[in-house]
């Protein structure tokens, strides 16, 4: 009985640590092409996400700014967030200059 109570306490404590993998487009106001890009990006594993962020960030095209921004805010993997943080300044400067 005591073991069961301990397990319930542990389950309740760690239940808030699960990440929700559903896409949250409402917060960031994307158009349809950006939503499709992000939906395909979410399906990748973490190594491929890092490769994609590196490639898109170093291309310097402002079209990929929403994807990099999304990965910083919503991706559960810290390595992906760091890769995006390292490259967002390239895309942000272009986004500002082109507007």
């Amino acid at each position: 009985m005591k073991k069961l109570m301990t397990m319930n306490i542990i389950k309740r404590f760690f239940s808030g640590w699960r990440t929700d993998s559903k896409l949250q487009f409402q917060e960031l106001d994307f158009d349809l092409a950006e939503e499709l890009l992000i939906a395909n990006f979410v399906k990748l594993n973490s190594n491929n996400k890092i490769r994609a962020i590196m490639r898109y960030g170093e291309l310097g095209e402002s079209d990929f700014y929403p994807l990099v921004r999304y990965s910083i805010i919503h991706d559960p993997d810290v390595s992906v967030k760091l890769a995006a943080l390292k490259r967002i300044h390239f895309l942000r400067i272009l986004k500002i200059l082109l507007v």
Side-chain angles (χ1 to χ4, degrees):
M1 180 76 170
K2 188 173 183 178
K3 185 177 181 181
L4 182 63
M5 288 177 47
T6 306
M7 290 303 293
N8 286 336
I9 291 171
I10 291 173
K11 284 181 183 178
R12 271 191 266 146
F13 180 74
F14 286 108
S15 66
W17 291 88
R18 285 184 276 172
T19 57
D20 190 13
S21 63
K22 294 181 182 176
L23 299 178
Q24 300 167 351
F25 295 121
Q26 300 86 7
E27 297 176 14
L28 298 176
D29 190 31
F30 295 127
D31 64 4
L32 183 60
E34 293 165 349
E35 287 182 15
L36 291 174
L37 181 67
I38 291 170
N40 289 331
F41 178 78
V42 170
K43 295 176 186 176
L44 298 174
N45 65 17
S46 62
N47 288 334
N48 289 334
K49 284 181 183 180
I50 292 170
R51 288 187 186 112
I53 291 292
M54 289 171 65
R55 186 170 45 134
Y56 296 149
E58 291 170 2
L59 280 176
E61 294 182 17
S62 63
D63 297 338
F64 300 114
Y65 176 75
L67 174 69
V68 175
R69 188 172 137 208
Y70 177 85
S71 64
I72 291 170
I73 296 171
H74 294 290
D75 200 273
D77 189 4
V78 175
S79 300
V80 174
K81 288 184 180 205
L82 289 175
L85 280 170
K86 289 178 183 177
R87 287 159 184 87
I88 195 159
H89 65 279
F90 296 126
L91 302 173
R92 185 166 184 241
I93 291 170
L94 283 174
K95 188 85 170 174
I96 291 169
L97 291 176
L98 293 175
V99 172

